[in-house]
């Protein structure tokens, strides 16, 4: 079980399930969460105000490519096989 930190501003939308996705970079050590694993969600990690918001199960994992252009940023799903 690993942990993710979110800014305090996201806590209400995480708790009411409006925010149910996140974009995270692959870990350097290769220990990326797999579908079926459980993540703990915190706010204020590494401070004295660290608070556990909740936990969640990873349902899918998709590779994406973020392509910045002059006027906008487009996000394209490159692979969506649930395993990545």
């Amino acid at each position: 079980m690993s942990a993710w930190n979110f800014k305090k501003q996201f806590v209400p939308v995480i708790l009411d399930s409006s925010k149910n996705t996140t974009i995270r970079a692959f870990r350097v050590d290769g220990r990326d969460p797999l579908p079926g694993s459980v993540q703990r969600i915190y706010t204020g990690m590494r401070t004295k105000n660290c608070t556990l918001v909740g936990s969640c199960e990873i349902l899918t994992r998709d590779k994406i490519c973020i392509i910045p252009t002059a006027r906008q940023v487009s996000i394209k799903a490159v692979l969506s096989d649930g395993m990545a």
Side-chain angles (χ1 to χ4, degrees), residues 50-69:
C50 182
T51 305
L52 176 65
V53 175
S55 62
C56 65
E57 180 182 350
I58 305 299
L59 300 178
T60 62
R61 188 175 80 168
D62 303 325
K63 288 184 181 178
I64 64 167
C65 180
I66 300 174
I67 304 167
T69 62

Side-chain angles (χ1 to χ4, degrees), residues 23-75:
I23 297 175
R24 302 285 168 153
F26 286 107
R27 291 177 50 130
V28 175
D29 62 9
R31 293 179 15 212
D32 298 304
L34 297 172
S37 65
V38 176
Q39 296 293 118
R40 290 194 181 194
I41 301 170
Y42 290 91
T43 186
M45 283 179 75
R46 299 184 181 164
T47 71
K48 65 181 181 179
N49 299 320
C50 182
T51 305
L52 176 65
V53 175
S55 62
C56 65
E57 180 182 350
I58 305 299
L59 300 178
T60 62
R61 188 175 80 168
D62 303 325
K63 288 184 181 178
I64 64 167
C65 180
I66 300 174
I67 304 167
T69 62
R71 295 181 182 237
Q72 64 184 12
V73 174
S74 61
I75 301 174

Side-chain angles (χ1 to χ4, degrees), residues 15-29:
L15 292 175
D16 73 9
S17 299
S18 299
K19 180 172 178 51
N20 57 11
T21 60
T22 186
I23 297 175
R24 302 285 168 153
F26 286 107
R27 291 177 50 130
V28 175
D29 62 9

